[in-house]
Amino acid sequence: MTLKPGRMNFVDYWADFVRNNDDEIWSKQQNKLIDSQIQSSREFFRELFKEDFEAKARKYMREMGKINGLSGKVIPIEKAIEDSKK
Amino acid sequence: MYFGVNEIRIDRKVSELDRFVLDFISIVQNFSKYVIINGYVAILLGRTRATEDVDIFISQMNKDKLKELYDTLLNKGYWCVNSDNFDELYEYLSSGIGIRFSQKGEIVPNMEVKFAIKTLQKEALLDTIKIKIYGEELIISSLERQIAFKRYYLKSDKDLEDARHIEKILGEKVNKEKIAYYKKKIENDA
């Protein structure tokens, strides 16, 4: 497998930016991306599993193949939403 | 970013993901050796992507010691996504299956913890680098090992990009012989 040229160029561009700038500068930019993704994911799952969070979250993670040794079984988010109502 | 001997100092602003990892590790390190591997290593070094899960290996430990760690994590506000049954969790870990912890009421981000069982996993605990972020520390896998695993074992677009990023950040400091060593090990292990 080889990297797609456009993405590879961006990886190189950003790595150069990280190397040539103070940590505070690049990390501030990077954190905007990371923090916003984490916050939106958290809000999404809190809303999705609001009652009985742990049982529903566990079921979802199991069906996603993220826990207990299962792997690769991805379920559509629509099904997760439907299941969360049960 | 300052590269010392087996040590990198990063004066970075701490993200929510970093805070989650630093807090979790501050507990785990009291019970076991650990090493952070995979995507978070690249992110720590500046990669422009997020992740919802962070992978670590810990040393194999007996059931009593793991119970102490487990109870401490629960008391500090974490929950185990896999199960509430401790005996089951110990079985998972002993079988090489990871168990995930997140803060109570969340599943993102989560920490996937595995026992280092196979030879290559045990080696990861020994070939490490210390990352210093102001007053706090994290132990990550050697960067050459990460490059090799991402490039020759995992091989997804995301992993190849991570490997490229890490290699570019290392620049002339990259140890190509070490990457080749791990490449060979991965091929022999496959």
Side-chain angles (χ1 to χ4, degrees), chain B residues 1 26 30 36 38 78 80 94-95 102 114-115 117 120-121 140 142 152 157 162 164 168 175 187 189:
Chain B
M1 216 177 283
S26 72
N30 297 323
I36 299 170
N38 288 344
Y78 297 88
C80 183
S94 301
S95 310
S102 191
K114 282 186 181 174
F115 275 166
I117 295 173
L120 274 168
Q121 295 169 343
I140 63 166
S142 87
Y152 305 115
D157 281 359
D162 284 352
R164 176 85 167 212
K168 289 278 286 183
N175 183 338
E187 285 166 353
D189 201 52

mmCIF file of all heavy atoms in Angstrom, chain B residues 1 26 30 36 38 78 80 94-95 102 114-115 117 120-121 140 142 152 157 162 164 168 175 187 189:
data_model
loop_
_atom_site.group_PDB
_atom_site.id
_atom_site.type_symbol
_atom_site.label_atom_id
_atom_site.label_comp_id
_atom_site.label_asym_id
_atom_site.label_seq_id
_atom_site.Cartn_x
_atom_site.Cartn_y
_atom_site.Cartn_z
ATOM 1 N N MET B 1 10.416 21.074 20.447
ATOM 2 C CA MET B 1 10.626 19.684 20.831
ATOM 3 C C MET B 1 12.129 19.465 21.006
ATOM 4 O O MET B 1 12.895 19.792 20.112
ATOM 5 C CB MET B 1 10.093 18.779 19.711
ATOM 6 C CG MET B 1 9.467 17.518 20.191
ATOM 7 S SD MET B 1 8.793 16.530 18.823
ATOM 8 C CE MET B 1 7.273 17.405 18.439
ATOM 9 N N SER B 26 -0.983 8.198 35.386
ATOM 10 C CA SER B 26 -0.512 8.520 36.744
ATOM 11 C C SER B 26 -0.972 7.457 37.739
ATOM 12 O O SER B 26 -0.349 7.266 38.787
ATOM 13 C CB SER B 26 -0.993 9.919 37.163
ATOM 14 O OG SER B 26 -2.379 9.889 37.425
ATOM 15 N N ASN B 30 1.779 3.283 39.063
ATOM 16 C CA ASN B 30 2.014 2.845 40.442
ATOM 17 C C ASN B 30 1.902 1.332 40.599
ATOM 18 O O ASN B 30 2.244 0.790 41.643
ATOM 19 C CB ASN B 30 1.001 3.508 41.389
ATOM 20 C CG ASN B 30 1.157 5.005 41.402
ATOM 21 O OD1 ASN B 30 2.276 5.522 41.330
ATOM 22 N ND2 ASN B 30 0.046 5.720 41.465
ATOM 23 N N ILE B 36 3.128 3.198 25.991
ATOM 24 C CA ILE B 36 2.073 3.666 25.084
ATOM 25 C C ILE B 36 2.522 3.373 23.657
ATOM 26 O O ILE B 36 3.672 3.644 23.290
ATOM 27 C CB ILE B 36 1.834 5.181 25.266
ATOM 28 C CG1 ILE B 36 1.382 5.477 26.696
ATOM 29 C CG2 ILE B 36 0.803 5.696 24.256
ATOM 30 C CD1 ILE B 36 1.354 6.960 27.052
ATOM 31 N N ASN B 38 1.180 2.877 19.247
ATOM 32 C CA ASN B 38 0.233 3.193 18.156
ATOM 33 C C ASN B 38 -0.072 4.689 17.994
ATOM 34 O O ASN B 38 0.787 5.524 18.199
ATOM 35 C CB ASN B 38 -1.043 2.359 18.296
ATOM 36 C CG ASN B 38 -0.781 0.904 17.952
ATOM 37 O OD1 ASN B 38 0.238 0.588 17.354
ATOM 38 N ND2 ASN B 38 -1.678 0.023 18.313
ATOM 39 N N TYR B 78 -13.151 5.868 36.871
ATOM 40 C CA TYR B 78 -13.161 5.191 35.564
ATOM 41 C C TYR B 78 -14.129 4.008 35.613
ATOM 42 O O TYR B 78 -14.471 3.521 36.693
ATOM 43 C CB TYR B 78 -11.758 4.677 35.210
ATOM 44 C CG TYR B 78 -10.746 5.794 35.053
ATOM 45 C CD1 TYR B 78 -10.030 6.269 36.156
ATOM 46 C CD2 TYR B 78 -10.532 6.390 33.816
ATOM 47 C CE1 TYR B 78 -9.121 7.304 36.020
ATOM 48 C CE2 TYR B 78 -9.620 7.416 33.672
ATOM 49 C CZ TYR B 78 -8.917 7.875 34.771
ATOM 50 O OH TYR B 78 -8.027 8.910 34.640
ATOM 51 N N CYS B 80 -14.867 0.151 33.369
ATOM 52 C CA CYS B 80 -14.344 -0.729 32.332
ATOM 53 C C CYS B 80 -15.461 -1.033 31.341
ATOM 54 O O CYS B 80 -16.526 -1.509 31.729
ATOM 55 C CB CYS B 80 -13.793 -2.027 32.929
ATOM 56 S SG CYS B 80 -13.060 -3.056 31.633
ATOM 57 N N SER B 94 -5.358 -12.092 30.261
ATOM 58 C CA SER B 94 -4.457 -13.244 30.211
ATOM 59 C C SER B 94 -4.507 -13.957 28.863
ATOM 60 O O SER B 94 -3.571 -14.664 28.491
ATOM 61 C CB SER B 94 -4.805 -14.244 31.320
ATOM 62 O OG SER B 94 -4.707 -13.596 32.567
ATOM 63 N N SER B 95 -5.608 -13.760 28.141
ATOM 64 C CA SER B 95 -5.740 -14.365 26.803
ATOM 65 C C SER B 95 -5.249 -13.426 25.701
ATOM 66 O O SER B 95 -5.449 -13.705 24.517
ATOM 67 C CB SER B 95 -7.205 -14.700 26.521
ATOM 68 O OG SER B 95 -7.766 -15.399 27.566
ATOM 69 N N SER B 102 -12.716 3.992 30.418
ATOM 70 C CA SER B 102 -13.009 5.389 30.113
ATOM 71 C C SER B 102 -13.479 6.040 31.404
ATOM 72 O O SER B 102 -13.696 5.354 32.405
ATOM 73 C CB SER B 102 -14.084 5.461 29.028
ATOM 74 O OG SER B 102 -14.200 6.775 28.540
ATOM 75 N N LYS B 114 -3.555 -3.814 27.455
ATOM 76 C CA LYS B 114 -3.264 -5.223 27.177
ATOM 77 C C LYS B 114 -2.061 -5.669 27.996
ATOM 78 O O LYS B 114 -1.142 -4.873 28.207
ATOM 79 C CB LYS B 114 -2.927 -5.425 25.691
ATOM 80 C CG LYS B 114 -4.111 -5.453 24.780
ATOM 81 C CD LYS B 114 -3.676 -5.796 23.369
ATOM 82 C CE LYS B 114 -4.859 -5.796 22.426
ATOM 83 N NZ LYS B 114 -4.481 -5.987 21.039
ATOM 84 N N PHE B 115 -2.062 -6.925 28.392
ATOM 85 C CA PHE B 115 -0.850 -7.517 28.952
ATOM 86 C C PHE B 115 0.150 -7.717 27.818
ATOM 87 O O PHE B 115 -0.241 -8.152 26.725
ATOM 88 C CB PHE B 115 -1.147 -8.897 29.552
ATOM 89 C CG PHE B 115 -1.659 -8.892 30.973
ATOM 90 C CD1 PHE B 115 -2.228 -10.047 31.515
ATOM 91 C CD2 PHE B 115 -1.568 -7.771 31.783
ATOM 92 C CE1 PHE B 115 -2.696 -10.077 32.816
ATOM 93 C CE2 PHE B 115 -2.039 -7.787 33.085
ATOM 94 C CZ PHE B 115 -2.601 -8.941 33.599
ATOM 95 N N ILE B 117 2.316 -10.045 26.344
ATOM 96 C CA ILE B 117 2.451 -11.499 26.461
ATOM 97 C C ILE B 117 3.456 -12.053 25.446
ATOM 98 O O ILE B 117 4.357 -12.808 25.793
ATOM 99 C CB ILE B 117 1.068 -12.176 26.297
ATOM 100 C CG1 ILE B 117 0.152 -11.776 27.459
ATOM 101 C CG2 ILE B 117 1.213 -13.693 26.231
ATOM 102 C CD1 ILE B 117 -1.281 -12.249 27.336
ATOM 103 N N LEU B 120 7.386 -9.878 21.104
ATOM 104 C CA LEU B 120 7.456 -8.519 20.573
ATOM 105 C C LEU B 120 6.781 -7.505 21.499
ATOM 106 O O LEU B 120 7.195 -6.360 21.597
ATOM 107 C CB LEU B 120 6.803 -8.458 19.185
ATOM 108 C CG LEU B 120 7.703 -8.820 18.007
ATOM 109 C CD1 LEU B 120 6.873 -9.013 16.737
ATOM 110 C CD2 LEU B 120 8.760 -7.751 17.762
ATOM 111 N N GLN B 121 5.743 -7.955 22.169
ATOM 112 C CA GLN B 121 5.049 -7.065 23.103
ATOM 113 C C GLN B 121 5.903 -6.809 24.342
ATOM 114 O O GLN B 121 5.996 -5.675 24.826
ATOM 115 C CB GLN B 121 3.702 -7.690 23.505
ATOM 116 C CG GLN B 121 2.734 -7.816 22.332
ATOM 117 C CD GLN B 121 1.514 -8.661 22.666
ATOM 118 O OE1 GLN B 121 1.494 -9.426 23.641
ATOM 119 N NE2 GLN B 121 0.478 -8.540 21.845
ATOM 120 N N ILE B 140 6.649 6.096 26.075
ATOM 121 C CA ILE B 140 6.141 5.623 24.782
ATOM 122 C C ILE B 140 7.129 4.613 24.189
ATOM 123 O O ILE B 140 8.296 4.552 24.571
ATOM 124 C CB ILE B 140 5.920 6.782 23.784
ATOM 125 C CG1 ILE B 140 7.250 7.491 23.451
ATOM 126 C CG2 ILE B 140 4.893 7.764 24.317
ATOM 127 C CD1 ILE B 140 7.168 8.399 22.250
ATOM 128 N N SER B 142 9.645 3.039 21.455
ATOM 129 C CA SER B 142 10.673 3.701 20.636
ATOM 130 C C SER B 142 10.068 4.080 19.289
ATOM 131 O O SER B 142 9.198 3.387 18.755
ATOM 132 C CB SER B 142 11.878 2.793 20.433
ATOM 133 O OG SER B 142 11.710 1.956 19.330
ATOM 134 N N TYR B 152 5.027 -1.693 8.262
ATOM 135 C CA TYR B 152 5.168 -3.067 7.772
ATOM 136 C C TYR B 152 4.177 -4.055 8.375
ATOM 137 O O TYR B 152 4.100 -5.192 7.945
ATOM 138 C CB TYR B 152 6.594 -3.571 8.017
ATOM 139 C CG TYR B 152 7.628 -2.663 7.418
ATOM 140 C CD1 TYR B 152 8.523 -1.978 8.224
ATOM 141 C CD2 TYR B 152 7.685 -2.455 6.031
ATOM 142 C CE1 TYR B 152 9.462 -1.113 7.673
ATOM 143 C CE2 TYR B 152 8.611 -1.593 5.477
ATOM 144 C CZ TYR B 152 9.495 -0.925 6.304
ATOM 145 O OH TYR B 152 10.403 -0.060 5.759
ATOM 146 N N ASP B 157 -3.790 3.427 5.532
ATOM 147 C CA ASP B 157 -3.387 4.785 5.136
ATOM 148 C C ASP B 157 -2.997 5.611 6.360
ATOM 149 O O ASP B 157 -1.978 6.295 6.377
ATOM 150 C CB ASP B 157 -4.530 5.496 4.399
ATOM 151 C CG ASP B 157 -4.634 5.037 2.946
ATOM 152 O OD1 ASP B 157 -3.820 4.203 2.522
ATOM 153 O OD2 ASP B 157 -5.551 5.511 2.247
ATOM 154 N N ASP B 162 1.048 8.116 9.796
ATOM 155 C CA ASP B 162 1.663 8.252 11.132
ATOM 156 C C ASP B 162 3.168 7.961 11.052
ATOM 157 O O ASP B 162 3.984 8.690 11.625
ATOM 158 C CB ASP B 162 1.035 7.264 12.130
ATOM 159 C CG ASP B 162 -0.346 7.691 12.616
ATOM 160 O OD1 ASP B 162 -0.772 8.821 12.313
ATOM 161 O OD2 ASP B 162 -0.993 6.878 13.299
ATOM 162 N N ARG B 164 5.144 8.123 8.489
ATOM 163 C CA ARG B 164 5.809 9.197 7.748
ATOM 164 C C ARG B 164 6.022 10.425 8.642
ATOM 165 O O ARG B 164 7.086 11.029 8.645
ATOM 166 C CB ARG B 164 4.940 9.564 6.544
ATOM 167 C CG ARG B 164 5.440 10.718 5.735
ATOM 168 C CD ARG B 164 6.449 10.248 4.726
ATOM 169 N NE ARG B 164 6.709 11.272 3.741
ATOM 170 C CZ ARG B 164 7.017 11.037 2.487
ATOM 171 N NH1 ARG B 164 7.123 9.820 2.056
ATOM 172 N NH2 ARG B 164 7.261 12.022 1.659
ATOM 173 N N LYS B 168 9.588 11.986 9.744
ATOM 174 C CA LYS B 168 9.942 13.374 9.410
ATOM 175 C C LYS B 168 10.310 14.169 10.667
ATOM 176 O O LYS B 168 11.216 14.994 10.647
ATOM 177 C CB LYS B 168 8.770 14.079 8.709
ATOM 178 C CG LYS B 168 8.481 13.609 7.311
ATOM 179 C CD LYS B 168 9.378 14.253 6.274
ATOM 180 C CE LYS B 168 8.986 15.709 6.016
ATOM 181 N NZ LYS B 168 9.809 16.315 4.955
ATOM 182 N N ASN B 175 16.983 6.127 13.331
ATOM 183 C CA ASN B 175 17.909 4.996 13.272
ATOM 184 C C ASN B 175 17.346 3.963 12.278
ATOM 185 O O ASN B 175 16.487 3.147 12.633
ATOM 186 C CB ASN B 175 18.061 4.394 14.677
ATOM 187 C CG ASN B 175 19.061 3.267 14.723
ATOM 188 O OD1 ASN B 175 19.362 2.648 13.702
ATOM 189 N ND2 ASN B 175 19.578 2.988 15.909
ATOM 190 N N GLU B 187 8.264 -9.527 10.171
ATOM 191 C CA GLU B 187 8.104 -10.507 9.084
ATOM 192 C C GLU B 187 8.256 -11.937 9.611
ATOM 193 O O GLU B 187 7.510 -12.832 9.226
ATOM 194 C CB GLU B 187 9.132 -10.232 7.987
ATOM 195 C CG GLU B 187 8.749 -9.015 7.152
ATOM 196 C CD GLU B 187 9.893 -8.489 6.282
ATOM 197 O OE1 GLU B 187 11.032 -8.989 6.414
ATOM 198 O OE2 GLU B 187 9.641 -7.570 5.493
ATOM 199 N N ASP B 189 7.657 -12.885 12.622
ATOM 200 C CA ASP B 189 6.576 -13.152 13.567
ATOM 201 C C ASP B 189 5.261 -13.443 12.838
ATOM 202 O O ASP B 189 4.361 -14.057 13.388
ATOM 203 C CB ASP B 189 6.385 -11.930 14.494
ATOM 204 C CG ASP B 189 5.673 -12.314 15.764
ATOM 205 O OD1 ASP B 189 6.108 -13.261 16.422
ATOM 206 O OD2 ASP B 189 4.658 -11.646 16.092
#
